[in-house]
Structure formats: C-alpha cells, structure tokens
Amino acid sequence: MNSSLMLAITTLLFGAAAVGYLAAWIFRKDALGRISSGALSLGVVASTGGIVLRWIESYQIGYGHAPLSNLYESLVFFAWSIAVLYLVVEWRTRNRVIGAFVAPIALLAMAYASLSPNISDRIQPLIPALKSNWLIAHVVSCFIGYAAFAIAFGLGIMYLLKGKGKDVRRPHSFLARLPSPDSLDDTILQMVKFGFLFLTIGIITGAVWANSAWGRYWGWDPKETWSLITWLVYAAMLHLRVFLSWRGKMFACFAILGFMAVLFTYFGVNLLPGLHSYGSME
C-alpha cells in the first residue's frame, strides 16, 4: 500500500466522520456520534500511516525529507493536526457535538489536497531554502497552532449559534444540544492559548531558520509579515481577555476573525511574490 492510497482512505474516513457528527447533532443520535469518533480516529491512523509512508517513499527516490515541504503535504498535516487535537478536546469535554463544527474543517483540508487540480501529490526535491534541520520544528509548530485556531473558529461559530437560537431552551431543539456559552467561551480561550504558544514557537524557529537560509532573522517577506499580523490578532485577543475581561460574543467573533487571518497567512500570501512562494508550488 502506498501513501496516496492511505491518504485517499483518510479523506473518506474524515468525510464519514464529518457527516456522522452533523447527523448525530441534528438528529440527536448518540450512537452516530460514537461511530463518527471511531471513523475520525481511524482517519488519524490512516493519515499517520500515509505521512510515514510518504516519508519512506521520499527516501526511496533519493530525496529523503519529511513530507512537509509543499502545499499538498502541509494540507495533509494540517488536517491530521486538527483531527488529533479535536479528539483530545472531545475526550476532555465529553461532548461530540463540537465535532459537527470541527471535523468538516479537517475534511475540507484533505479534500482540497486530494481533489484540487492545482495541487500535485508528487514528492518533490527540496529547494535550497528548505534544506534545514529547522524544517520540521518550524512547520509542525505552526500547523499545530493553526489547528488549535481552527477548533477555536468552530467553537466561535457554535457560540454565535447558541446565542441566536430562539428555541435554544427547548429540550428537543438541536441548538439546545450545543454546550453552554460559558463552556464554549472557556474552551475557545484554552484553544487560543494553546495555538498562540505554538504559533510563537513557529515564528521563533522560522526566524532562526531564515537566518541560516538567508542571513537575516526577519525581512518583512509577505509570509513573515502576515504571520506577525496573525500573532498580533491573537495576542490582542488574549490581552483583552486578561486585562479587560472580554467574554462572550465579542470573544467568539475574535476567534473567527483570527482564523480568517490564519487562512490568509496560509493561502492568500502564496499569491504574493516573496521568499515563501514555494508554499504554493505544485
């Protein structure tokens, strides 16, 4: 079995999990929720196998680098990170409804990687700038942070739905099954803290890497600039929470806004010329 097949299986399993979580939430079927958790867990196993196989295949063809060097590989790792981190959140909160808002994000990342005609799954040689021992530390740190922000985004949407639902107090309403506003608010905070920590590590390791690759720690490349903007958005979010006790709707909206900055940093900046333009290569 090769990596492409394993990752195709991952996409199917993530799809089954996303649909299952949504159905379990809407139709109040706890059994479907348990099945969806199982499907997502199997998807994590399959994607882990696919990533490992792709790494082995890279060595077999003489490249020998971690599968984290282009858009396809980063999307696969992004989806894997979201799924793993979500399963931890699900285990800690004992609430599978969150999966209805998070599993589709992992599915979209995998589906975009697998189905987009503009993205190739070919294993490619590293360009000179990527030939560094800092590759794994930088990319892994950033995408674990991005995954946490993706979950905070899903939780932010849940919070807004909980607040807007007119029938939220009815026991048989599917909105009534959403976690309490206080629980959602606290979990958003935990995800933002976790993501902020790893994004900070990612920026620091990226600066060290940039110094070894280009002879400077910071050069205001578009990717670097937008990474800093994203960091500042979440820094402001945490600052407002600590010093002004921001909670509720505005905090949830900030989580959604922050993830928009993440997406632009990840995808939009690739359209701009810069030293990180390899992030969009096929």
Side-chain angles (χ1 to χ4, degrees):
M1 183 176 291
N2 60 29
S3 62
S4 296
L5 180 57
M6 289 291 285
L7 294 173
I9 292 171
T10 299
T11 305
L12 292 175
L13 288 168
F14 282 5
V19 172
Y21 278 123
L22 285 166
W25 169 48
I26 293 171
F27 299 111
R28 303 175 60 87
K29 300 293 183 181
D30 292 336
L32 268 178
R34 291 191 292 272
I35 292 170
S36 300
S37 296
L40 191 65
S41 299
L42 288 174
V44 168
V45 173
S47 60
T48 302
I51 291 169
V52 171
L53 283 173
R54 190 174 176 87
W55 202 337
I56 293 171
E57 290 163 5
S58 176
Y59 273 96
Q60 289 174 340
I61 61 178
Y63 297 153
H65 60 77
L68 300 168
S69 62
N70 58 29
L71 185 56
Y72 174 83
E73 293 170 347
S74 70
L75 282 165
V76 169
F77 186 75
F78 184 38
W80 180 89
S81 301
I82 293 170
V84 170
L85 190 54
Y86 164 71
L87 287 171
V88 173
V89 172
E90 180 182 284
W91 172 72
R92 292 194 64 182
T93 62
R94 299 291 191 268
N95 193 316
R96 292 189 173 91
V97 174
I98 299 171
F101 294 84
V102 175
I105 304 175
L107 170 63
L108 285 173
M110 282 300 304
Y112 183 50
S114 303
L115 303 177
S116 174
N118 298 319
I119 300 178
S120 171
D121 65 353
R122 290 183 295 107
I123 299 175
Q124 301 164 329
L126 289 177
I127 65 173
L130 293 179
K131 294 178 179 178
S132 169
N133 293 328
W134 290 101
L135 171 66
I136 295 177
H138 173 64
V139 175
V140 168
S141 298
C142 285
F143 278 98
I144 290 176
Y146 289 175
F149 296 144
I151 295 173
F153 166 78
L155 292 164
I157 293 175
M158 293 175 73
Y159 190 99
L160 296 183
L161 285 175
K162 187 79 172 181
K164 286 184 174 295
K166 295 179 180 179
D167 59 348
V168 73
R169 297 183 181 275
R170 298 179 184 177
H172 297 295
S173 165
F174 65 89
L175 290 178
R177 300 197 69 198
L178 297 177
S180 70
D182 286 344
S183 175
L184 288 169
D185 188 81
D186 289 341
T187 309
I188 291 172
L189 176 61
Q190 295 305 315
M191 287 295 98
V192 170
K193 285 181 177 179
F194 186 82
F196 185 75
L197 170 63
F198 276 90
L199 179 59
T200 302
I201 295 171
I203 290 174
I204 292 171
T205 54
V208 175
W209 184 4
N211 186 58
S212 64
W214 300 308
R216 87 292 186 277
Y217 289 99
W218 195 268
W220 299 105
D221 179 78
K223 195 82 162 185
E224 295 170 345
T225 302
W226 273 94
S227 293
L228 178 60
I229 290 171
T230 301
W231 186 90
L232 289 172
V233 168
Y234 285 105
M237 186 177 179
L238 292 173
H239 177 85
L240 290 167
R241 179 59 172 254
V242 171
F243 293 101
L244 297 181
S245 300
W246 266 32
R247 302 180 67 90
K249 181 179 178 180
M250 290 303 298
F251 198 66
C253 288
F254 230 120
I256 295 170
L257 173 66
F259 191 59
M260 296 301 102
V262 167
L263 291 178
F264 188 80
T265 302
Y266 187 10
F267 296 107
V269 173
N270 290 331
L271 301 176
L272 303 175
L275 294 171
H276 289 78
S277 59
Y278 53 76
S280 63
M281 68 183 179
E282 297 181 5

